[in-house]
Amino acid sequence: MHFYLFAAFDNLKTQKVNGQILIEYRLKNFKVGYLAFDLIKDKLVIKTFLFITMDGTPEGERLRETWGIQAIDKKYLEIDRLSTFILSDIRDNAELKAQFVQAGREDLFTIGVGPLDMKIDINKASKMKTYLKAPAEVLTGMADGEMNASNTNSC
């Protein structure tokens, strides 16, 4: 992590989204997200890491515009984490893969797959396609219901 953090500053690339300047963060040669920061006096303070599909990133905003999905939808679909792209069947679904590539996220499919002994979620693509084809008012309800149910079970 420290090596890639150093590399982000050594080969500094930035994007401006909604008035916020973000620093690109890469694993190897693949962009996986951004570092959000503040300048306080003469110090750069990193506030958070934003995964590439999250709201507030250029690619996340394109996904929101293309699919009409919000942060809660991305969390429900688990597209706010790298493991979803590495360890699921999304990469094998031509339709979904094309939509992510169109939104500028081809790196998520070329970064590599996980170790062979890790379980691959083979139902992720089907779940995502069903969710994305639902009417907009149903989407938020599905995500809210799923989130509330999971929160209740953890108590």
Side-chain angles (χ1 to χ4, degrees), residues 62-132:
R62 271 183 276 186
L63 287 173
R64 185 181 52 75
E65 292 167 5
T66 302
W67 288 342
I69 58 176
Q70 305 299 319
I72 193 168
D73 303 305
K74 293 173 185 179
K75 187 170 183 70
Y76 174 77
L77 294 170
E78 298 178 331
I79 60 173
D80 59 347
R81 56 182 74 182
L82 182 59
S83 61
T84 297
F85 296 91
I86 294 175
L87 301 175
S88 78
D89 61 345
I90 294 173
R91 70 176 50 248
D92 300 323
N93 185 291
E95 180 184 350
L96 283 175
K97 185 175 178 180
Q99 290 177 336
F100 278 103
V101 168
Q102 192 173 21
R105 291 314 348 116
E106 58 276 358
D107 284 358
L108 295 174
F109 299 104
T110 55
I111 198 167
V113 296
L116 295 176
D117 62 344
M118 296 185 82
K119 185 175 182 180
I120 296 177
D121 185 350
I122 58 171
N123 296 317
K124 184 69 69 184
S126 174
K127 176 183 174 182
M128 188 177 295
K129 285 174 69 173
T130 300
Y131 188 85
L132 293 172

Side-chain angles (χ1 to χ4, degrees), residues 11-109:
N11 188 17
L12 193 66
K13 294 181 182 175
T14 61
Q15 296 276 337
K16 190 170 186 177
V17 181
N18 300 327
Q20 171 76 42
I21 298 174
L22 304 171
I23 299 169
E24 286 186 11
Y25 186 85
R26 295 176 172 269
L27 289 178
K28 300 179 184 176
N29 291 322
F30 305 104
K31 183 171 32 168
V32 294
Y34 297 89
L35 302 170
F37 67 92
D38 281 330
L39 288 174
I40 301 175
K41 295 185 181 179
D42 62 343
K43 306 266 190 272
L44 184 136
V45 178
I46 298 172
K47 296 187 298 186
T48 192
F49 168 78
L50 297 171
F51 185 63
I52 198 109
T53 60
M54 293 176 134
D55 289 358
T57 68
E59 298 82 1
E61 295 301 312
R62 271 183 276 186
L63 287 173
R64 185 181 52 75
E65 292 167 5
T66 302
W67 288 342
I69 58 176
Q70 305 299 319
I72 193 168
D73 303 305
K74 293 173 185 179
K75 187 170 183 70
Y76 174 77
L77 294 170
E78 298 178 331
I79 60 173
D80 59 347
R81 56 182 74 182
L82 182 59
S83 61
T84 297
F85 296 91
I86 294 175
L87 301 175
S88 78
D89 61 345
I90 294 173
R91 70 176 50 248
D92 300 323
N93 185 291
E95 180 184 350
L96 283 175
K97 185 175 178 180
Q99 290 177 336
F100 278 103
V101 168
Q102 192 173 21
R105 291 314 348 116
E106 58 276 358
D107 284 358
L108 295 174
F109 299 104

